[in-house]
Amino acid sequence: MNFQDIKPKISPIIKVISTILITGAIGLELWNIYAIATEIQVPSSLNPIFWFERFAVSCHIIEAVIAAFYAPSRNQMPIQYAIYTFFVGTVGLLELFDRED
């Protein structure tokens, strides 16, 4: 069994999980900003989670920029594909580079 056989089965699952986790990371960061602005004490045990979600969001932003840059060469709208790639992550880039012109 090779990767091309597994890809159609796993790709939709990864897309859903990635979208949920990135949306949760954005919500978590917004909550953290709200807590800082209103001087609410955030438990220090959440600091590793905050760093991990910031790293994940940063990686997804970089992937979105790459997708926006290469989308016109694949006849895709840059902003639309960048947003899509931001939420689904590397799967979006793989789909973009897998397309045949």
Side-chain angles (χ1 to χ4, degrees):
M1 179 177 277
N2 68 27
F3 181 68
Q4 296 300 334
D5 297 335
I6 298 171
K7 185 178 169 183
K9 297 174 187 172
I10 293 180
S11 182
I13 295 168
I14 293 172
K15 289 179 187 179
V16 170
I17 291 172
S18 179
T19 302
I20 291 168
L21 289 176
I22 286 297
T23 304
I26 292 169
L28 186 62
E29 190 61 34
L30 290 174
W31 172 69
N32 188 31
I33 292 169
Y34 172 77
I36 291 170
T38 58
E39 298 180 5
I40 297 173
Q41 186 66 25
V42 176
S44 62
S45 62
L46 292 178
N47 283 340
I49 295 172
F50 287 131
W51 283 106
F52 182 75
E53 62 92 0
R54 288 175 188 147
F55 177 74
V57 169
S58 299
C59 290
H60 279 244
I61 287 172
I62 292 169
E63 290 171 341
V65 169
I66 293 169
F69 183 76
Y70 284 105
S73 69
R74 304 294 185 172
N75 298 325
Q76 298 293 323
M77 295 185 67
I79 299 296
Q80 183 180 8
Y81 214 85
I83 293 170
Y84 171 72
T85 303
F86 173 75
F87 283 102
V88 300
T90 306
V91 174
L93 282 178
L94 290 174
E95 289 175 354
L96 180 66
F97 292 125
D98 196 31
R99 294 177 190 247
E100 296 294 326
D101 290 326

